[in-house]
Amino acid sequence: MSWDWNYTGDIIPDLLDGLRYTVIATLAGYVIAVLLGLVWAMLRRTPNVVVSQTVRWVTEFIRSTPLIPQLYFVYYVLPSWGLTIGSLTAGIITLGLHYSTYTAEVYRAGISDIPKGQWEACTALNLPRSRVWLDVILPQAIRRVIPTLGNYLIAMFKDSPMLLAINVTELLMSAYQVGSRSLRFLEPITLVGLLFIIVSVISSILVRRLERRYATN
């Protein structure tokens, strides 16, 4: 089967529409993952053993469970309990929740890297706990983990095709629908692969630049 350039031009708008939903799901899920991961990390350090251990087991369970069963649970099981969520929203929530358990470990590592002397200095100055976290610990910890967090953005983008399992018309689903209409899959699937490669490579270059920048500052 030879490449049909006219057909390629016709399907690009549909693929770009699918790419739009892929980007929306990835970015919105990433915001959830970054914010919720920070909450998990801070709760893991709370003096309350019940809270810290509960958070530990919850995050371990989510991280140890495949993404697709989580998508099915949020989209197909929750409605039976009276909570109906649209497919795109369910995909965003599940992506964010799933990856928040990974970003939590990133934050935890960054916080653990803060020299012990800084904690002791805060105690000696009798700083309120809120100031210790907001003014001293978190600015340093987050700065250290920015490149690693960037890697998880790329990972989320590459996992976004799993959203087709709950009928989100993301990039791969768009390619499948286009191919099904014309019975030609060469062009749409190839273009999808190229788009993923291009975005991933560009993102990887940006992440490496962040690593060099924060390694030297």
Side-chain angles (χ1 to χ4, degrees):
M1 180 181 292
S2 60
W3 189 275
D4 188 334
W5 289 103
N6 291 329
Y7 173 63
T8 300
D10 292 338
I11 65 175
I12 283 179
D14 290 324
L15 296 182
L16 290 178
D17 192 51
L19 178 62
R20 178 169 64 89
Y21 284 107
T22 294
V23 171
I24 290 172
T26 301
L27 294 180
Y30 184 70
V31 170
I32 294 174
V34 168
L35 297 178
L36 185 57
L38 182 58
V39 173
W40 292 138
M42 295 181 69
L43 290 176
R44 282 287 302 274
R45 296 185 63 92
T46 183
N48 189 315
V49 176
V50 174
V51 173
S52 62
Q53 289 302 310
T54 300
V55 170
R56 175 191 173 194
W57 286 108
V58 168
T59 54
E60 286 288 342
F61 175 79
I62 295 173
R63 189 165 56 249
S64 302
T65 309
L67 180 58
I68 287 183
Q70 294 174 10
L71 288 166
Y72 281 147
F73 182 85
V74 172
Y75 187 63
Y76 292 110
V77 177
L78 289 186
S80 65
W81 296 345
L83 185 58
T84 302
I85 304 175
S87 59
L88 180 60
T89 303
I92 290 171
I93 292 173
T94 308
L95 272 177
L97 180 62
H98 183 81
Y99 273 94
S100 72
T101 61
Y102 292 96
T103 59
E105 290 301 306
V106 174
Y107 285 124
R108 201 159 69 90
I111 293 170
S112 298
D113 283 342
I114 301 299
K116 184 179 179 180
Q118 297 204 27
W119 293 95
E120 295 173 346
C122 292
T123 302
L125 292 172
N126 198 27
L127 292 178
R129 189 172 180 82
S130 58
R131 285 200 60 193
V132 172
W133 280 104
L134 295 176
D135 296 341
V136 180
I137 303 302
L138 288 182
Q140 297 180 74
I142 292 174
R143 178 185 177 85
R144 295 168 186 239
V145 302
I146 284 176
T148 307
L149 292 176
N151 286 326
Y152 280 113
L153 176 60
I154 299 171
M156 288 181 68
F157 177 72
K158 291 190 290 186
D159 274 351
S160 62
M162 294 188 187
L163 300 185
L164 64 81
I166 57 172
N167 302 317
V168 176
T169 311
E170 44 70 59
L171 187 54
L172 188 58
M173 173 68 85
S174 297
Y176 174 77
Q177 291 176 344
V178 167
S180 297
R181 291 198 301 265
S182 60
L183 298 181
R184 286 187 64 96
F185 291 93
L186 172 63
E187 292 85 356
I189 298 300
T190 302
L191 288 175
V192 166
L194 289 174
L195 284 172
F196 272 102
I197 290 173
I198 291 170
V199 173
S200 297
V201 168
I202 293 174
S203 300
S204 297
I205 292 172
L206 294 175
V207 168
R208 284 198 295 271
R209 288 185 177 180
L210 283 175
E211 290 175 346
R212 290 196 296 269
R213 176 179 177 181
Y214 287 102
T216 56
N217 290 338

